[in-house]
C-alpha cells in the first residue's frame, strides 16, 4: 500500500520529507518488530517513549514514520507524518491497512472487573462449530484456531489485534471473543473495531491507580457500549448489549448504548434468569428462566454463584447467535472450566488444592464463598497483592476478606515490583485486628505455598489466589518465568 494513501486519511497533519512512491508493507510500534518497508508509529507511552527508538526503526527498514514530536535528528530525510495523537492515527491507519477486518467478523467483547476470561471461554465453547476456527483474546493468551500465543496485556495494542483478525480470516474463521479491559478502553487500544455483541459482567474495586474513582472506572467500561455506535443501516450488522441486571451499574450501562439490551441475573427480573440454584457433587444445578416463561434445567460441572452469572451471560450470547437451547445445555454440561480459574490440582493428596486468579476483593470473596459450600476442614489461603504502580487502596478489603473467610492466611509476593513486601503486608493487614486472626507472612511465593501445603490436613482446602496461570512474576524490575500449577504439582509430588 502506498504511504500517500494512508496519509490522505489524516485530516490534520504535517508531512516532512517526500512520501511519493513510498510503499508500506508492514506497520509497527515496537522497533524490534520492524522489517523493510515498515511504517513506524512513535507512541509516547506510560513508561516508554517510542520517539526514542526512531533511529533503531530506520536502521531495521522503516521507510516512513508517524510522530508527535521531532525525530529529524534520528531519521534525517526519511518522511515523517506529524500528528497530534499518534495512538488515534495508528488505529485509523491500521484499520484501513488491514481492510477493516472486524466489519466481516462476528466480534464479541466482554468487559467487567471479574469473569472476563471465564465468560469468553464459555462463549467460545457454546459457539464452537466443526471446521470453523475461532479467535479468543484475553488475559491468559491469544488463541487463533489451534494456535496459542502468550500475552501480557488482557487487551493487546491495536496492531496486534489487527494481525490476529487477519490470521483468523486467513484460516477461515468468522468469530472472535475478546476480553476488553478498562485500560484498553481508556488508552484507545480498541478504537475502530466493529463489535456486534458486548457483555458486561460486573464492576467492583480495581484499577483505581489509573481511573482514580469508581465513577471514572465505570465510565471507562461504559465506553465499550457507547462505541457500538448509533447508526443502523440496511447493510450494518445487528448490535446487542448483554448486561448484568443485578449490578448497580446496570442502568448506567443501559443508558450508555443505543442498541438492543438483553439482561441476565439471579435477583432482578432479567431476560435470562437463574432460579433454585444448588450444588451437587461438584456441579451447580439451576433453573434457567428465559423471558419469565420458558424454563430449562442447567447442569454445570463447575462451582460458584459467580459462575452462574458467567454462564448466564454466555448463554445469552449463544441465544443471540441462534444456538438452540438444547445444544446450549449440552455444551454447558460439558464445559470443564478454564485453566487457573477454580482449578483443582490433584496428586493423590487427602486435601484439596485450588488455584485461582482471584486478585480483587470481590473475586476473592466469590471464590472463598464457593469453597465454603464444599464439605471441608480448614481453609488455608495463600494470597498477596501487586506492588509498584498498582491500586493499593483495595488491600485492606482484600486482606480482610482473606482473613475472615479463611482459617489461616499465608501472605506472600504476587508481583511486588519495586515496592517492599512489608508495605504490601501492612496494607493487607490494615483492615483487621491482627490479634484476632491467624496469619503469617512468607516473602518467597514458592515457600509460602510449601508452608500452606504442610499445614493442610485431611479434608482441608488450600486456596492459592492471585496468580492463576499467569506465566511470570515481577520482582524488582525483572520479570521471572513462573508457573503456579507446576510448582504445586512438584511440591505435592515431593510430599
Amino acid at each position: 500500500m502506498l504511504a500517500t494513501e494512508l496519509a490522505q486519511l489524516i485530516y490534520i497533519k504535517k508531512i516532512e520529507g517526500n512520501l511519493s512512491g513510498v510503499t508500506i508493507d508492514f506497520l509497527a510500534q515496537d522497533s524490534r518488530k520492524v522489517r523493510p518497508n515498515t511504517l513506524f508509529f512513535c507512541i509516547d507511552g506510560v513508561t516508554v517513549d517510542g520517539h526514542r527508538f526512531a533511529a533503531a526503526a530506520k536502521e531495521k527498514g522503516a521507510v516512513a514514520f508517524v510522530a508527535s514530536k521531532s525525530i529529524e535528528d534520528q531519521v534525517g530525510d526519511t518522511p515523517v507524518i506529524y500528528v497530534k495523537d499518534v495512538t488515534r492515527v495508528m488505529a485509523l491507519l491500521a484499520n484501513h491497512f488491514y481492510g477493516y477486518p472486524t466489519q466481516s467478523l462476528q466480534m464479541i467483547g466482554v468487559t467487567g472487573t471479574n469473569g472476563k476470561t471465564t465468560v469468553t471461554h464459555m462463549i467460545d465453547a457454546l459457539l464452537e462449530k466443526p471446521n470453523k476456527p475461532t479467535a479468543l483474546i484475553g488475559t491468559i493468551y491469544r488463541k487463533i484456531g489451534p494456535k496459542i500465543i502468550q500475552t501480557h496485556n488482557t487487551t493487546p495494542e491495536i496492531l496486534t489485534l489487527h494481525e490476529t483478525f487477519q490470521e483468523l480470516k486467513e484460516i477461515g474463521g468468522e468469530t472472535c471473543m475478546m476480553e476488553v479491559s478498562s485500560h484498553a478502553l481508556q488508552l484507545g487500544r480498541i478504537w475502530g473495531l466493529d463489535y456486534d455483541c458486548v457483555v458486561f459482567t460486573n464492576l467492583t474495586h480495581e484499577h483505581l491507580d489509573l481511573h482514580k474513582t469508581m465513577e471514572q472506572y465505570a465510565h471507562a467500561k461504559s465506553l465499550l457500549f457507547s462505541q457500538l455506535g448509533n447508526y443502523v443501516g440496511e447493510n450494518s450488522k445487528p448490535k446487542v448489549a448483554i448486561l448484568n441486571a443485578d449490578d448497580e451499574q446496570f442502568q448506567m450501562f443501559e443508558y450508555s448504548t443505543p442498541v438492543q439490551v438483553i439482561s441476565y441475573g439471579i435477583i432482578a427480573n432479567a431476560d435470562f434468569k437463574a432460579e433454585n440454584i444448588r450444588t451437587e457433587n461438584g456441579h451447580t444445578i439451576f433453573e434457567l428462566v428465559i423471558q419469565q416463561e420458558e424454563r430449562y434445567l442447567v447442569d454445570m460441572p463447575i462451582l460458584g454463584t459467580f459462575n452462574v452469572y458467567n454462564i448466564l451471560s454466555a448463554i445469552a450470547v449463544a441465544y443471540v447467535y441462534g444456538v438452540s437451547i438444547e445444544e446450549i445445555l449440552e455444551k454447558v454440561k460439558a464445559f470443564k472450566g478454564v485453566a487457573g480459574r477454580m482449578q483443582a490440582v490433584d496428586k493423590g493428596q487427602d486435601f484439596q488444592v485450588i488455584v485461582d486468579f482471584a486478585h480483587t476483593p470481590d473475586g476473592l470473596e466469590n471464590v472463598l464463598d464457593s469453597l465454603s459450600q464444599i464439605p471441608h476442614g480448614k481453609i488455608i489461603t495463600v494470597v498477596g497483592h501487586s506492588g509498584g504502580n498498582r491500586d493499593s487502596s483495595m488491600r485492606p478489603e482484600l486482606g480482610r476478606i482473606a482473613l475472615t473467610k479463611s482459617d489461616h492466611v499465608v501472605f506472600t509476593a504476587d508481583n511486588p515490583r519495586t515496592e517492599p513486601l512489608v508495605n504490601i503486608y501492612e496494607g493487607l493487614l490494615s483492615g483487621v485486628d491482627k490479634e484476632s486472626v491467624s496469619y503469617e507472612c512468607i516473602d518467597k511465593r514458592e515457600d509460602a505455598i510449601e508452608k500452606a501445603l504442610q499445614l493442610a490436613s485431611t479434608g482441608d482446602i488450600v486456596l492459592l489466589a492471585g496468580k492463576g496461570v499467569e506465566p511470570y512474576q515481577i520482582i524488582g524490575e525483572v520479570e521471572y518465568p513462573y508457573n503456579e500449577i507446576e510448582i504445586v504439582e512438584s511440591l505435592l509430588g515431593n510430599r
Side-chain angles (χ1 to χ4, degrees):
M1 181 175 292
L2 291 175
T4 50
E5 180 180 340
L6 293 170
Q8 286 174 356
L9 299 171
I10 309 167
Y11 293 131
I12 305 298
K13 60 184 180 290
K14 178 184 177 183
I15 299 175
E16 292 189 358
N18 185 9
L19 286 176
S20 298
V22 175
T23 298
I24 303 299
D25 293 329
F26 307 100
L27 306 181
Q29 69 175 91
D30 183 337
S31 61
R32 294 167 296 185
K33 296 181 179 180
V34 171
R35 292 171 282 181
N37 295 333
T38 291
L39 173 62
F40 185 75
F41 297 90
C42 301
I43 302 291
D44 191 354
V46 176
T47 58
V48 177
D49 185 356
H51 292 81
R52 293 170 44 211
F53 299 93
K58 179 180 178 180
E59 185 176 344
K60 288 190 173 185
V63 292
F65 294 82
V66 178
S68 59
K69 50 192 176 187
S70 179
I71 53 172
E72 183 181 1
D73 60 332
Q74 295 188 69
V75 303
D77 59 359
T78 302
V80 182
I81 308 169
Y82 287 103
V83 298
K84 294 182 291 184
D85 187 336
V86 177
T87 299
R88 195 175 296 271
V89 168
M90 181 170 67
L92 172 71
L93 301 192
N95 222 347
H96 185 76
F97 181 83
Y98 285 102
Y100 304 93
T102 58
Q103 289 184 358
S104 56
L105 291 172
Q106 291 181 340
M107 291 291 299
I108 302 165
V110 179
T111 197
T113 305
N114 297 309
K116 296 186 295 296
T117 299
T118 301
V119 170
T120 51
H121 281 77
M122 286 175 167
I123 295 170
D124 193 28
L126 297 187
L127 296 184
E128 184 181 24
K129 296 178 183 177
N131 304 315
K132 276 295 178 184
T134 61
L136 194 154
I137 300 169
T139 306
I140 301 177
Y141 47 60
R142 283 187 293 136
K143 177 183 78 70
I144 311 169
K147 181 179 176 181
I148 299 293
I149 307 160
Q150 295 298 325
T151 183
H152 283 318
N153 293 326
T154 296
T155 312
E157 43 82 15
I158 193 69
L159 299 184
T160 299
L161 291 175
H162 277 293
E163 290 166 5
T164 303
F165 305 144
Q166 182 183 52
E167 189 170 345
L168 176 64
K169 294 183 72 172
E170 287 174 352
I171 63 174
E174 298 175 345
T175 304
C176 177
M177 279 65 60
M178 276 185 64
E179 295 182 47
V180 184
S181 69
S182 61
H183 284 72
L185 288 159
Q186 180 114 342
L187 300 175
R189 289 186 200 147
I190 65 159
W191 283 337
L193 303 189
D194 189 12
Y195 289 96
D196 312 280
C197 175
V198 292
V199 178
F200 166 61
T201 60
N202 50 67
L203 193 81
T204 62
H205 190 149
E206 192 181 28
H207 297 317
L208 298 193
D209 52 313
L210 174 67
H211 304 296
K212 309 307 179 188
T213 68
M214 286 299 294
E215 290 75 19
Q216 291 181 34
Y217 181 33
H219 173 70
K221 291 290 191 185
S222 73
L223 293 174
L224 180 61
F225 299 86
S226 60
Q227 289 173 13
L228 280 172
N230 200 49
Y231 172 74
V232 178
E234 184 178 351
N235 297 317
S236 61
K237 297 189 290 184
K239 309 273 185 173
V240 62
I242 295 174
L243 308 179
N244 182 349
D246 292 341
D247 193 278
E248 63 182 20
Q249 299 293 338
F250 170 80
Q251 194 169 63
M252 189 273 285
F253 280 81
E254 185 180 34
Y255 286 158
S256 71
T257 183
V259 305
Q260 293 185 67
V261 171
I262 293 175
S263 61
Y264 68 94
I266 295 173
I267 302 167
N269 287 324
D271 299 314
F272 289 79
K273 186 177 182 181
E275 295 182 352
N276 303 318
I277 303 168
R278 65 185 190 276
T279 58
E280 292 181 6
N281 301 318
H283 286 227
T284 303
I285 314 294
F286 65 90
E287 279 189 274
L288 170 64
V289 185
I290 302 177
Q291 299 181 63
Q292 303 181 36
E293 292 181 358
E294 303 172 46
R295 289 181 174 269
Y296 304 90
L297 189 66
V298 178
D299 182 347
M300 179 174 65
I302 52 177
L303 296 173
T305 301
F306 62 98
N307 274 323
V308 175
Y309 279 104
N310 291 338
I311 200 66
L312 283 173
S313 68
I315 289 171
V317 173
Y319 185 89
V320 164
Y321 282 100
V323 183
S324 71
I325 290 296
E326 292 73 22
E327 184 178 350
I328 288 172
L329 298 179
E330 287 178 8
K331 289 182 173 179
V332 169
K333 193 170 184 178
F335 184 75
K336 301 302 182 184
V338 181
R341 270 62 177 174
M342 287 286 278
Q343 181 176 351
V345 182
D346 187 355
K347 299 293 285 185
Q349 74 276 7
D350 58 0
F351 55 88
Q352 295 189 64
V353 179
I354 304 295
V355 175
D356 194 90
F357 187 56
H359 61 286
T360 66
D362 182 67
L364 184 61
E365 186 168 34
N366 285 335
V367 170
L368 285 169
D369 284 347
S370 297
L371 294 178
S372 70
Q373 298 173 27
I374 303 171
H376 65 276
K378 302 187 300 295
I379 293 179
I380 302 165
T381 298
V382 176
V383 68
H385 188 257
S386 289
N389 61 344
R390 294 305 190 261
D391 177 14
S392 61
S393 65
M394 71 167 69
R395 288 176 187 166
E397 183 69 0
L398 187 69
R400 183 192 66 77
I401 288 168
L403 289 161
T404 57
K405 292 181 178 288
S406 308
D407 296 286
H408 185 73
V409 176
V410 184
F411 289 114
T412 188
D414 189 313
N415 292 318
R417 296 179 173 82
T418 57
E419 184 174 1
L421 280 167
V422 65
N423 291 0
I424 298 174
Y425 298 151
E426 287 175 359
L428 290 165
L429 289 163
S430 63
V432 297
D433 175 7
K434 298 179 186 178
E435 302 301 319
S436 65
V437 292
S438 177
Y439 74 93
E440 58 190 293
C441 301
I442 299 176
D443 289 357
K444 188 177 178 182
R445 191 171 181 96
E446 185 172 347
D447 292 344
I449 294 170
E450 185 174 21
K451 181 61 180 292
L453 298 178
Q454 291 171 351
L455 292 172
S457 302
T458 301
D460 290 347
I461 298 174
V462 176
L463 170 64
L464 310 179
K467 296 299 287 183
V469 292
E470 193 172 62
Y472 58 85
Q473 188 176 29
I474 305 172
I475 301 173
E477 296 182 353
V478 180
E479 187 175 289
Y480 296 94
Y482 184 83
N483 188 314
E484 190 126 294
I485 303 295
E486 289 183 359
I487 288 171
V488 178
E489 289 179 338
S490 175
L491 290 170
L492 289 172
N494 293 332
R495 284 172 59 88

